[in-house]
Amino acid sequence: MQKPIGVFDSGYGGLTVLKEIVKKLPQYDYIYLGDNARAPYGNRSFETVYHYTLQCVKWFFDQGCSLVILACNTASAKALRTIQQIDLPKLAPDKRVLGVIRPTTEIIGQFSESGSVGILATNGTVASNSYPVEIAKFFPELKVYQEACPMWVPLVENNEHQEHGADFFIKKNLHSLFAKGENIDVVLLACTHYPMLQQKIENHLPVIVKLLSQGEIVANSLVDYLERHPELEQQCSKQGNRVFYTTDSTEDFDNHATTFFGEAVRSKHVDLESNKI
Ligand code: DGL
């Protein structure tokens, strides 16, 4: 039986990815789950992020999804590999869980002329070192500088991202990134919340610096993946439905989600502990 594609994030950020996926692949059905009750994940330990993410992946499997996308860099950095290598073979060998780091690291070097790129991400993603390690596989010569921006997700989650206070933290982190690597000519928003700050970030970047955001990159990569895996593609239902779940208040989710997704959203609550909807 065909089922929707699952899209997961710790909160709202994955909606910026889902928005781009839906633009490219509108025909498919999607289930989105935001673990808002436990967000942000960015400052949490490996064990905690892994435990939370695995619990959410299992929930998607219970809904019948054959393909789940972790539209969260922190979960992709801290949990994806273990889930793919250890859990999936035992739990559901025919199902697939994909992340957002690999599609980005495969192409980032194509955008840089100076040979230096900057990665802006949560503490967890930076500490995992996933970006430098993965980029080195595709672009071994590329110099990679990272900057953790722990205030940015809270600014977005608290709807402060368009206020003046946001400029202070954006300038602070960009200044620190460029102090590490002054030749940086590509900056990647390696957190799915950060596109909400894109305009402000652009205002504080030198004009020659390209700012990359992941939504479109991940969407293109999914198009390609589905073409290369017809056996999985055939398991995905195609009626153009989108269903949204949150582990926290649906009212809060619906109020915020519209900004991230670009259209009105009516979510349902899910209690992961009891799996009650
Ligand atoms: N949106 C998540 C990411 O891409 C992080 C948000 C959080 O800290 O939970 O990394």
Side-chain angles (χ1 to χ4, degrees):
M1 197 176 151
Q2 292 186 323
K3 287 288 180 179
I5 296 172
V7 178
F8 168 72
D9 184 52
S10 58
Y12 304 110
L15 290 167
T16 63
V17 176
L18 179 60
K19 182 175 161 187
E20 298 301 324
I21 291 178
V22 164
K23 272 193 211 158
K24 292 260 160 30
L25 297 164
Q27 68 275 33
Y28 292 95
D29 298 335
Y30 299 93
I31 298 185
Y32 183 89
L33 173 63
D35 191 7
N36 300 79
R38 303 186 292 196
Y41 280 13
N43 292 323
R44 295 191 187 274
S45 69
F46 269 81
E47 291 68 28
T48 304
V49 173
Y50 164 66
H51 169 72
Y52 288 173
T53 307
L54 180 61
Q55 201 180 20
C56 294
V57 165
K58 284 182 180 166
W59 178 84
F60 280 110
F61 290 169
D62 289 345
Q63 314 310 303
C65 301
S66 299
L67 176 60
V68 178
I69 302 183
L70 304 184
C72 173
N73 283 274
T74 311
S76 299
K78 291 186 160 188
L80 181 61
R81 180 158 303 194
T82 314
I83 290 175
Q84 285 176 332
Q85 294 180 353
I86 311 286
D87 299 297
L88 264 189
K90 288 185 282 184
L91 272 177
D94 297 332
K95 296 185 188 273
R96 289 291 170 267
V97 181
L98 307 175
V100 289
I101 296 181
R102 172 77 186 252
T104 319
T105 55
E106 274 174 0
I107 61 165
I108 190 168
Q110 297 166 8
F111 298 94
S112 175
E113 282 168 25
S114 70
S116 294
V117 299
I119 308 292
L120 300 168
T122 62
N123 275 334
T125 301
V126 168
S128 74
N129 227 25
S130 299
Y131 273 94
V133 168
E134 290 299 316
I135 290 173
K137 293 181 187 159
F138 300 104
F139 302 99
E141 307 295 322
L142 202 63
K143 291 205 181 75
V144 182
Y145 300 93
Q146 304 193 89
E147 173 71 11
C149 313
M151 290 302 292
W152 292 16
V153 168
L155 281 170
V156 173
E157 293 270 324
N158 290 294
N159 220 5
E160 292 287 330
H161 54 285
Q162 278 162 344
E163 303 300 323
H164 289 310
D167 291 283
F168 172 82
F169 290 104
I170 290 170
K171 273 202 274 193
K172 182 172 180 227
N173 289 119
L174 289 181
H175 186 263
S176 165
L177 177 69
F178 281 90
K180 293 173 199 166
E182 53 187 31
N183 289 330
I184 292 170
D185 66 350
V186 171
V187 169
L188 172 70
L189 301 182
C191 171
T192 54
H193 280 67
Y194 296 176
M196 302 304 294
L197 295 162
Q198 185 151 348
Q199 192 54 57
K200 280 192 182 289
I201 299 168
E202 265 165 11
N203 292 345
H204 296 295
L205 275 180
V207 272
I208 60 142
V209 175
K210 293 181 210 77
L211 188 61
L212 292 186
S213 125
Q214 288 177 307
E216 206 182 334
I217 296 172
V218 173
N220 287 335
S221 164
L222 182 59
V223 171
D224 180 57
Y225 184 87
L226 291 171
E227 276 169 16
R228 286 185 291 110
H229 295 87
E231 73 297 343
L232 206 73
E233 196 282 333
Q234 280 150 22
Q235 293 177 46
C236 301
S237 53
K238 299 169 197 76
Q239 281 164 7
N241 294 325
R242 297 88 180 79
V243 183
F244 299 86
Y245 289 92
T246 174
T247 55
D248 208 343
S249 140
T250 53
E251 203 183 332
D252 284 354
F253 188 90
D254 297 354
N255 286 339
H256 278 69
T258 312
T259 327
F260 290 80
F261 191 56
E263 56 185 83
V265 157
R266 288 280 304 249
S267 61
K268 301 179 195 176
H269 178 75
V270 60
D271 179 348
L272 288 173
E273 298 306 326
S274 64
N275 229 346
K276 271 199 311 252
I277 294 172

